[in-house]
Amino acid sequence: GAVVSQHPSRVICKSGTSVKIECRSLDFQATTMFWYRQFPKQSLMLMATSNEGSKATYEQGVEKDKFLINHASLTLSTLTVTSAHPEDSSFYICSARDGTTYEQYFGPGTRLTVT
Amino acid sequence: GEDVEQSLFLSVREGDSSVINCTYTDSSSTYLYWYKQEPGAGLQLLTYIFSNMDMKQDQRLTVLLNKKDKHLSLRIADTQTGDSAIYFCAEISGGYNKLIFGAGTRLAVHP
């Protein structure tokens, strides 16, 4: 089946620094990628939708200047958490939608801890 | 707006069947999904059903869809300890754009 990878799987950073998370579709082209955030024992909250070559669409309440999303190619999207704070600590999951089948495949997630 | 609801917890004995229920509100949803999440991991697509179907069976998994009541269920036959996980139902909303997830049902399988 289709595979989506995320890197890194875990990251610890200091408050005030920026962290970049990569999401790659390994064997298909993803015209659309989604970024989710998941708090412990809670559901996934959609943060933003990114389409290759255009600006991301952010959900209400998500700060676009804080969570920078770049979808530079059909296989790569990045999420940069700028000036991270402890409250940004969370599990970030991306998904990629196959441009041919429209099925969504999820990455394994990135655990971000801000100290 | 769109909303998906699930019961939060289900406990079953190994070998029994598990039934996880879900209700949704968007009647225009074309696809409904079941995902499995194990601790510390991403989501694994288990199965999905197109909105013009009533039932879909895939090995131990049976999905039932009652479109009139906007009710979706996932039945796992012969539940095993490896089935212990959180199960999310989700609907497509916004013209194939967004997946709307339920809160997830934590399935615990005991001997």
Side-chain angles (χ1 to χ4, degrees):
Chain A
V3 176
V4 175
S5 70
Q6 278 185 244
H7 178 79
S9 58
R10 286 178 181 272
V11 57
I12 301 173
C13 70
K14 291 188 177 179
S15 191
T17 62
S18 294
V19 174
K20 181 185 284 188
I21 303 169
E22 292 186 350
C23 176
R24 290 181 187 272
S25 57
L26 297 187
D27 49 4
F28 65 96
Q29 293 189 330
T31 50
T32 305
M33 288 185 171
F34 303 87
W35 286 96
Y36 295 85
R37 183 173 180 178
Q38 186 181 30
F39 292 102
K41 298 185 180 179
Q42 292 189 28
S43 188
L44 281 72
M45 180 193 80
L46 179 65
M47 298 174 67
T49 302
S50 74
N51 293 295
E52 185 264 339
S54 63
K55 288 184 180 180
T57 302
Y58 289 81
E59 295 298 303
Q60 195 171 9
V62 178
E63 298 175 61
K64 62 181 181 181
D65 294 330
K66 180 166 184 63
F67 298 100
L68 300 178
I69 291 171
N70 186 302
H71 192 159
S73 77
L74 285 171
T75 59
L76 173 64
S77 176
T78 60
L79 167 68
T80 302
V81 183
T82 62
S83 187
H85 288 102
E87 56 264 33
D88 298 326
S89 299
S90 192
F91 195 52
Y92 292 88
I93 302 176
C94 76
S95 73
R97 187 167 71 199
D98 188 313
T100 304
T101 67
Y102 285 96
E103 287 194 27
Q104 277 195 41
Y105 302 95
F106 283 80
T110 296
R111 171 78 57 196
L112 170 63
T113 304
V114 184
T115 60
Chain B
E2 311 104 348
D3 193 22
V4 178
E5 294 191 356
Q6 301 177 238
S7 52
L8 296 182
F9 189 75
L10 176 65
S11 178
V12 299
R13 188 170 301 186
E14 192 174 10
D16 287 352
S17 292
S18 308
V19 179
I20 302 171
N21 294 300
C22 171
T23 58
Y24 61 97
T25 57
D26 188 350
S27 58
S28 66
S29 291
T30 49
Y31 287 93
L32 295 129
Y33 299 82
W34 284 104
Y35 287 89
K36 177 183 181 182
Q37 185 180 36
E38 296 182 6
L43 270 68
Q44 172 195 355
L45 177 64
L46 285 179
T47 186
Y48 63 91
I49 189 166
F50 190 51
S51 60
N52 69 351
M53 298 169 65
D54 298 323
M55 185 182 87
K56 181 178 180 182
Q57 187 150 2
D58 184 1
Q59 299 182 338
R60 291 191 299 123
L61 304 178
T62 303
V63 179
L64 295 178
L65 174 61
N66 181 329
K67 199 173 179 183
K68 174 176 168 287
D69 294 338
K70 299 192 190 72
H71 182 267
L72 182 73
S73 68
L74 173 69
R75 179 176 180 269
I76 305 173
D78 187 24
T79 313
Q80 303 297 308
T81 54
D83 295 323
S84 295
I86 301 175
Y87 291 80
F88 292 94
C89 75
E91 61 172 351
I92 280 279
S93 184
Y96 299 105
N97 199 15
K98 298 190 292 187
L99 272 174
I100 307 296
F101 286 88
T105 300
R106 184 176 295 275
L107 174 64
V109 183
H110 56 88

